[in-house]
Amino acid sequence: MSPEGKLISREPVTLLAIETSCDETAAAVVSETGDPVRPWHLRSNIVASQAAIHREWGGVVPELASRQHLRDICGVVEDALAKAGADFNDLGAVAVTQGPGLVGSLLVGVSFAKSLAWTYGIPLIPVHHLAGHIESLVLEHGELPLPAAVLVVSGGHTSLYFITEPGRYSLIGRTRDDAAGEAYDKVAKLLGLGYPGGPVIDKLAKTGNDRAFAFPVPRMTHADRNQREPTAPSGLLPKSMERRVDFSFSGLKTAVARVVAERTSDPRTPMLDPREVADIAASFQRVVVQALLDRTFEAAAWLGVKSLGISGGVSANSRLRADAEARGAKVGLPVFIPPLALSTDNAAMIGAAAMRKLRAGVTADWDLNALASMPL
Ligand code: KG4
Ligand code: ZN
């Protein structure tokens, strides 16, 4: 039952989804298909990126982000409806990212979605941002062969999930420090490449020598004492494995910082040579991708999964995509990755995750609040 006791239709539903957790204002229209294998159809997917605004500051400025969401949200929603050939009266529900993210940014989407749901008397569906990244895989490829392992790699998260039934996500590994995307952004800053770092390092890495610098591949071991309990639920992985599936990227970032400091310490050569920058980018990227894939494939083998998914902003990375597919082909494991438009933040994925919740009967009350952090 939704707020005000609105019943959810048994007929295929069309919903509007809104995502404002960080620096993209996004809206999408998603419809149910009635086909259990490919359950959702994406009718429009609009993203207004604020990257140009934050680039000047070298990263996302939360206050500027919230203000820009306010400016953009009406136009983005109107665009999403127009592209879908729909209007507000066609909507059976409104979905919104509740968290995690920047709370001021999230609030813009949550307030907008609430007003819309109230005005049209339709259910409001709260969505976890990472559930969105996971379900972007199903939106694009249809239901994954289960059990599946899904790696979500974004600017805020590097988390590995085990999925045994649709919509239930069990966290088995996560970063102990920086997220992979965060490492990309910080290394890009060190190299003077601007924000966001992922796309520019990805492009530059293609021109560099990925063996020029022997950065260490970060590895967690069972002897690591920074965390008392392993991330994976007890019994899921063998004892020797359960701490190894966590990730760490801050040491790698420090190793890059050290190389940059060494190379620029001579006052006669205070700037990095462009070829050196490309070599550092390529070497850094090789190590990030290897660290992500080693752990993920190792866990996938132990868990005996039937498919592997990789999603989130960093899944747009050309080397990660190519290497994951090559490794999957080698071991006979189907690998699913969203298309680029669904890798980085978007509202289509929020619409997909919302459809699961809608059909599970989960809707929000009018006191729904944005949450900077929340469990999945
Ligand atoms: O999922 P996302 O759009 O936002 C968050 O939920 O954080 O991910 C953004 C992150 C940024 O750190 C960005 O640098 C990274 O994804 N990213 C990439 C690429 N495109 C975006 N990282 C590596 N290679 C890329 N091509
Ligand atoms: Zn994201």
Side-chain angles (χ1 to χ4, degrees), residues 19 21-24 100 129-130 133 152-157 179-186 188 195-203 284-285 288 311-321 340 342-346 349:
E19 150 68 42
S21 68
C22 190
D23 61 342
E24 330 272 2
H129 184 77
L130 296 191
H133 277 305
V152 181
V153 258
S154 68
H157 295 85
E182 193 179 350
Y184 266 97
D185 295 337
K186 287 178 175 169
Y195 172 86
V200 55
I201 289 185
D202 190 0
K203 193 163 165 221
F284 162 78
Q285 176 155 289
V288 172
S311 62
V314 181
S315 74
N317 186 263
S318 59
R319 177 150 191 181
L320 182 63
R321 296 169 89 89
L340 294 184
L342 298 183
S343 288
T344 46
D345 284 351
N346 64 86
M349 67 184 197

Side-chain angles (χ1 to χ4, degrees), residues 54-275:
H54 301 292
R55 192 168 292 132
E56 281 191 48
W57 304 90
V60 178
V61 184
E63 182 59 27
L64 292 181
S66 342
R67 287 170 189 272
Q68 194 60 33
H69 284 306
L70 277 174
R71 288 185 197 106
D72 285 340
I73 190 144
C74 292
V76 166
V77 165
E78 277 171 8
D79 239 26
L81 287 169
K83 289 252 158 56
D87 68 40
F88 289 118
N89 294 306
D90 298 321
L91 302 177
V94 180
V96 66
T97 308
Q98 183 185 9
L102 300 172
V103 82
S105 291
L106 288 161
L107 265 176
V108 176
V110 167
S111 312
F112 193 97
K114 266 192 207 177
S115 322
L116 213 61
W118 171 273
T119 307
Y120 289 90
I122 51 180
L124 173 67
I125 309 173
V127 176
H128 192 290
H129 184 77
L130 296 191
H133 277 305
I134 294 171
E135 299 299 349
S136 70
L137 293 163
V138 178
L139 179 60
E140 177 65 19
H141 300 287
E143 294 289 0
L144 303 184
L146 297 179
V150 174
L151 175 69
V152 181
V153 258
S154 68
H157 295 85
T158 300
S159 300
L160 183 59
Y161 293 92
F162 182 47
I163 302 174
T164 49
E165 58 182 279
R168 287 199 58 182
Y169 324 110
S170 178
L171 182 67
I172 54 169
R174 63 183 169 81
T175 181
R176 302 270 185 92
D177 39 59
D178 292 352
E182 193 179 350
Y184 266 97
D185 295 337
K186 287 178 175 169
V187 164
K189 207 169 185 178
L190 281 170
L191 297 176
L193 297 173
Y195 172 86
V200 55
I201 289 185
D202 190 0
K203 193 163 165 221
L204 207 56
K206 292 189 177 123
T207 66
N209 170 8
D210 69 358
R211 299 276 163 184
F213 295 91
F215 296 128
V217 179
R219 264 220 93 95
M220 288 292 159
T221 67
H222 64 283
D224 184 87
R225 293 185 199 287
N226 286 334
Q227 181 180 270
R228 251 175 271 147
E229 295 303 320
T231 304
S234 175
L236 203 57
L237 289 166
K239 282 268 170 275
S240 59
M241 259 300 289
E242 52 187 14
R243 284 168 193 267
R244 285 159 58 98
V245 292
D246 276 353
F247 304 90
S248 165
F249 292 103
S250 72
L252 175 59
K253 172 198 65 195
T254 307
V256 174
R258 208 172 297 129
V259 165
V260 173
E262 270 166 27
R263 306 273 146 166
T264 54
S265 61
D266 184 339
R268 286 167 303 173
T269 54
M271 303 284 283
L272 285 170
D273 178 271
R275 229 198 44 239

